[in-house]
Amino acid sequence: MSKITVPDHVRNPATEVVEPQLQPPPMFRIRMLNDDFTPMDFVVDLLMRFFHKSEETANQLMLQIHNEGSAVCGIYTRDIAETRLQQVETASRTSGHPLRCVMEQDRPD
């Protein structure tokens, strides 16, 4: 009778583990919109409180919002962006201001 030898490693494509191709999650911009009613100090406070901007950066963003109509306050994953948007709008409504933010998908340059 003949002896059958089996190689140490037999390739079986059905059982091979394929490394997943991981990609970074899509990112979203929070853009704060200008209005004629919300006080500038309140906008600066929101930028510092919810977007963790320094006072100087918050003032620059507030002026950009005022002069250009809007400014990007931050870029986050979807869950974080939605939370920040909700926090800003809740704080605005609680204080009686009509300030709004919008969320838009970030496009890589």
Side-chain angles (χ1 to χ4, degrees), residues 39-51:
M40 293 178 176
D41 292 344
F42 184 74
V43 173
V44 170
D45 177 57
L46 292 180
L47 290 167
M48 292 170 55
R49 190 171 7 148
F50 296 117
F51 297 100

Side-chain angles (χ1 to χ4, degrees), residues 21-35:
Q21 297 297 318
L22 301 178
Q23 295 185 7
M27 302 300 281
F28 292 83
R29 298 178 194 173
I30 297 294
R31 183 177 296 276
M32 192 173 285
L33 306 177
N34 185 44
D35 64 64

Side-chain angles (χ1 to χ4, degrees), residues 44-82:
V44 170
D45 177 57
L46 292 180
L47 290 167
M48 292 170 55
R49 190 171 7 148
F50 296 117
F51 297 100
H52 309 289
K53 303 297 184 188
S54 68
E55 188 173 358
E56 181 181 342
T57 302
N59 277 301
Q60 290 171 351
L61 280 171
M62 177 272 299
L63 289 172
Q64 182 180 355
I65 293 164
H66 180 70
N67 294 325
E68 297 176 20
S70 70
V72 174
C73 302
I75 301 173
Y76 308 99
T77 59
R78 178 186 294 273
D79 292 343
I80 294 172
E82 287 174 346

Side-chain angles (χ1 to χ4, degrees), residues 75-96:
I75 301 173
Y76 308 99
T77 59
R78 178 186 294 273
D79 292 343
I80 294 172
E82 287 174 346
T83 300
R84 299 276 165 93
L85 188 138
Q86 184 179 30
Q87 289 173 324
V88 168
E89 292 195 351
T90 299
S92 295
R93 298 308 168 270
T94 302
S95 298

